[in-house]
Amino acid sequence: MASTRPGATDHPGDGLAPEVSSAVAAFAGHLLHERGRSPHTVRGYRSDLTDLLRDLPGLGALDLDHLRMRLAATLNAGAGRATVARRTAAARTFCAWAVRTGRLAHDPAARLGSPGAVTVLPEVPAADEAAAVLDAAISGATEDDPEALRDLLVLELLYGTGIRVAELCGLDLDRVDEPGRTLRVRGKGDRERTVVFGVPAARAVRRWLERGRPALATPRSPAALLLGVRGGRLDPRVARTVVHRAMRAVPGATDVGPHGLRHAAATHLLEGGADLRYVQELLGHATLSTTQLYTHVTVDRLKVVHDQAHPRA
């Protein structure tokens, strides 16, 4: 029976047979409430599974051939190998769960192959571009306009710490240690970590708390660090708009969003000589292999170091 907890309700308009829709809803509830996955991740699973399980009369009809057919259709429709690999992973996770919970007698995805995902190298602004964007934001906040002070803090913390935009918008005031220049961040899987920020971000925090936040706060405002214009917690979508607007305002700067600044933070740390495991901890990656995706942009620097230091260069 499907769970009736929030986030696990059936979606009658999803085009799936009732039994299949109920199973997907229960699986979504499992991911959200038991595995601690974010609502965004759960929506992604639901979307992938809705496509994969379409046209099934019931869950018992799910077999390897059906999964292969649906994945082939995804590829033929022009989707990249990364999308097919993601949907394959979703099928494996769902089917394994369905077997464990007695919804399937056997696992049809156990022998499901997956194409190797192509790593798409992220576009990363250069350090001087990031500096120019932050200088422009500092200049824009000289008159202590509350929104300008908030936007400056958004940019300083995203680039200065490498945290995710959802993590930034989820910060409460008691998670900020000004004297120690640290943030306690709750990330994916409800894991908590401490990140540090530098002097420029510390200045932005102080100005925001003294002159910006009080101007936007209302008696009903939450204890959030960052507030919107109506006094509520800052929405991640607004933070994304802030970043894109700031990047576009500087001629020649690479137009990226919050995730681009996160990539930039990791890249520039590595280029500056930071240890890969330190960057892993800062970004909240569960595995080192995820952090290693950032090393591609440091190849030129590695070549210079190699030429200068290796006896056989």
Side-chain angles (χ1 to χ4, degrees):
M1 182 178 296
S3 170
T4 57
R5 289 174 296 182
T9 54
D10 292 349
H11 283 213
D14 56 16
L16 301 178
E19 180 196 14
V20 179
S21 182
S22 178
V24 171
F27 177 66
H30 162 73
L31 293 177
L32 188 66
H33 301 290
E34 298 174 31
R35 298 284 296 277
R37 299 298 179 87
S38 71
H40 176 76
T41 298
V42 174
R43 283 194 297 272
Y45 270 100
R46 290 197 76 130
S47 176
D48 286 338
L49 290 171
T50 296
D51 183 82
L52 288 171
L53 304 180
R54 188 173 291 120
D55 300 329
L56 283 175
L59 200 60
L62 180 60
D63 58 17
L64 182 61
D65 287 341
H66 177 88
L67 290 173
R68 285 174 171 168
M69 176 191 69
R70 293 303 305 164
L71 289 169
T74 299
L75 199 59
N76 291 336
R81 287 196 295 171
T83 299
V84 177
R86 189 193 68 234
R87 290 190 174 179
T88 300
R92 288 174 177 155
T93 305
F94 172 77
C95 289
W97 168 85
V99 170
R100 287 198 308 273
T101 57
R103 289 172 169 82
L104 287 175
H106 66 282
D107 188 346
R111 294 188 294 116
L112 191 63
S114 176
V118 178
T119 301
V120 179
L121 305 184
E123 198 168 18
V124 177
D128 58 348
E129 291 179 347
V133 169
L134 289 167
D135 286 345
I138 292 170
S139 177
T142 52
E143 296 185 6
D144 290 341
D145 174 76
E147 285 186 66
L149 290 174
R150 183 204 62 197
D151 295 352
L152 171 61
L153 183 56
V154 165
L155 295 166
E156 288 282 12
L157 288 181
L158 285 174
Y159 178 60
T161 67
I163 60 176
R164 301 175 178 93
V165 66
E167 295 170 343
L168 174 70
C169 294
L171 283 172
D172 285 340
L173 291 167
D174 63 0
R175 296 270 166 170
V176 183
D177 177 3
E178 280 195 82
R181 298 212 314 266
T182 63
L183 305 174
R184 284 186 295 127
V185 177
R186 194 171 298 279
K188 289 186 176 180
D190 210 31
R191 292 188 297 268
E192 188 174 286
R193 69 188 189 279
T194 298
V195 300
V196 300
F197 54 88
V199 173
R203 286 196 292 263
V205 168
R206 176 70 354 229
R207 290 179 66 192
W208 162 249
L209 292 179
E210 288 181 348
R211 309 168 203 172
R213 192 180 187 280
L216 296 183
T218 71
R220 301 183 63 181
S221 291
L225 171 64
L226 294 166
L227 300 176
V229 293
R230 295 183 180 178
R233 185 181 296 275
L234 184 66
D235 191 296
R237 291 171 296 183
V238 176
R240 291 188 184 94
T241 299
V242 167
V243 176
H244 281 295
R245 186 170 60 223
M247 301 303 294
R248 291 168 184 158
V250 176
T254 304
D255 183 10
V256 298
H259 202 67
L261 288 184
R262 176 172 161 84
H263 277 277
T267 299
H268 299 162
L269 277 167
L270 291 168
E271 289 179 340
D275 180 79
L276 191 63
R277 290 198 178 276
Y278 167 77
V279 178
Q280 176 192 3
E281 176 65 24
L282 189 71
L283 298 181
H285 288 156
T287 62
L288 193 62
S289 60
T290 305
T291 314
Q292 286 174 322
L293 294 175
Y294 295 92
T295 61
H296 73 277
V297 293
T298 67
V299 170
D300 289 342
R301 179 179 179 276
L302 290 175
K303 287 179 179 177
V304 172
V305 172
H306 185 275
D307 289 343
Q308 292 175 346
H310 200 284
R312 298 290 292 176

